[in-house]
Amino acid sequence: MSDAEPSLFTAKEMYVMSTTKGGHSPLYYELSLTERRKLIYNNMHLALGMKYSEPNSFPIMEPYNGRVDYDYCSFSERNRCRGEGQALMIFEDDYKFSHLLWDRLEQTTITLSKFDCLFTPDFSLYVDAPLHLNRDSVYKSRFDGAYWQKCGFNVIPTASWAGVNSFPWCLEGLPQHSVIAVCGVGVSWSRAAMELWLYGLRQVESRLSPTTIIIYGKEIEIPDISVPVMFIEDHITKNYRNGKEEK
């Protein structure tokens, strides 16, 4: 028999009930004003209980193997989405979500509790960016995902990569035997981009052994991949095709 007392509520319900409308946890009010200023700047007050990878100390995410047949809502459309029966995708330009999902992570998270599932944010990695910037993007994505899982959310981990030199660390902290999401927007613009993207998918398959790979983008042929693959139509291409950019 477990020592833990059974609960009438799920972990997510407990999070919602114990969190203020501003998104603050009870721990926030146990800190002095000085401690708040020190810790909140880098969200370290939210890191309690997280485990970290080696050698880069990225927060480690747990696997997700729940349903994938959701209605999918983009982050920019979140306020117009009902949430129930929906998963929130975060495949957008970083400026549209970074300040909300890092600088104001705690305050934003409570507003996302209506969704049945969240994708981890796809913070951008660039082939020509300094190494520390790309690693920072990976750290933030893993941190958000690990924090949301700690709050009881269903979370689909997102994998991303830059050049070939990013593969020693870009998948670090992602779970084995889990549903994994990747962005496939724009990969067919050049042969080099397509080859790098396909190489990345093969790395995801061989190193993470995912149960399903969700690709955000138009359906294309994926050679040399044996894992089940599903595609989600991307709103980026759709909006440009309709002659407008999403605000």
Side-chain angles (χ1 to χ4, degrees):
M1 184 174 178
S2 173
D3 293 334
E5 290 292 332
S7 174
L8 295 175
F9 304 101
T10 66
K12 182 179 175 182
E13 289 170 335
M14 293 291 290
Y15 157 75
V16 172
M17 289 188 294
S18 64
T19 302
T20 69
K21 292 182 180 179
H24 295 304
S25 67
L27 177 61
Y28 176 89
Y29 298 100
E30 296 176 9
L31 302 174
S32 69
L33 182 59
T34 299
E35 289 174 323
R36 292 179 195 178
R37 288 172 174 169
K38 287 181 179 179
L39 296 179
I40 290 175
Y41 181 75
N42 286 314
N43 290 322
M44 291 310 298
H45 64 305
L46 307 182
L48 184 65
M50 288 186 186
K51 298 178 180 180
Y52 296 89
S53 66
E54 294 182 356
N56 291 291
S57 297
F58 298 145
I60 296 173
M61 294 190 61
E62 298 295 325
Y64 172 82
N65 282 298
R67 58 177 288 196
V68 294
D69 59 337
Y70 293 104
D71 291 331
Y72 293 94
C73 176
S74 68
F75 186 76
S76 291
E77 295 287 330
R78 66 192 180 284
N79 293 331
R80 292 191 282 270
C81 295
R82 65 183 183 278
E84 184 179 355
Q86 294 184 313
L88 185 70
M89 308 174 299
I90 311 173
F91 296 100
E92 304 188 21
D93 292 324
D94 290 27
Y95 75 87
K96 295 183 178 180
F97 66 82
S98 182
H99 63 296
L100 293 171
L101 296 181
W102 187 251
D103 299 331
R104 295 180 59 81
L105 175 59
E106 198 171 15
Q107 295 92 325
T108 302
T109 295
I110 190 64
T111 70
L112 305 181
S113 59
K114 66 180 181 179
F115 289 95
D116 285 351
C117 185
L118 306 175
F119 285 62
T120 55
D122 187 35
F123 287 97
S124 297
L125 278 68
Y126 299 98
V127 173
D128 56 352
L131 179 63
H132 75 278
L133 292 181
N134 282 337
R135 283 183 172 171
D136 187 58
S137 290
V138 171
Y139 176 85
K140 289 177 179 178
S141 181
R142 302 290 188 275
F143 189 101
D144 284 8
Y147 173 61
W148 289 340
Q149 287 181 330
K150 188 174 67 167
C151 292
F153 289 76
N154 292 318
V155 184
I156 296 177
T158 300
S160 57
W161 49 89
V164 174
N165 62 352
S166 70
F167 285 100
W169 49 266
C170 67
L171 303 182
E172 194 175 311
L174 290 174
Q176 296 276 327
H177 310 296
S178 171
V179 176
I180 298 290
V182 302
C183 183
V185 176
V187 299
S188 59
W189 291 347
S190 72
R191 180 176 178 179
M194 175 61 79
E195 289 180 351
L196 177 61
W197 185 72
L198 291 174
Y199 177 79
L201 284 183
R202 292 192 291 271
Q203 290 295 306
V204 168
E205 180 181 46
S206 64
R207 292 163 58 179
L208 300 179
S209 302
T211 54
T212 300
I213 297 177
I214 298 176
I215 297 176
Y216 178 73
K218 68 178 181 179
E219 187 167 347
I220 58 176
E221 183 178 353
I222 308 293
D224 304 321
I225 295 290
S226 58
V227 171
V229 173
M230 65 173 289
F231 291 85
I232 300 174
E233 182 181 13
D234 70 283
H235 64 279
I236 300 172
T237 302
K238 181 174 65 176
N239 284 335
Y240 273 107
R241 187 170 60 241
N242 293 338
K244 65 176 183 178
E245 181 183 4
E246 186 176 32
K247 302 299 182 182

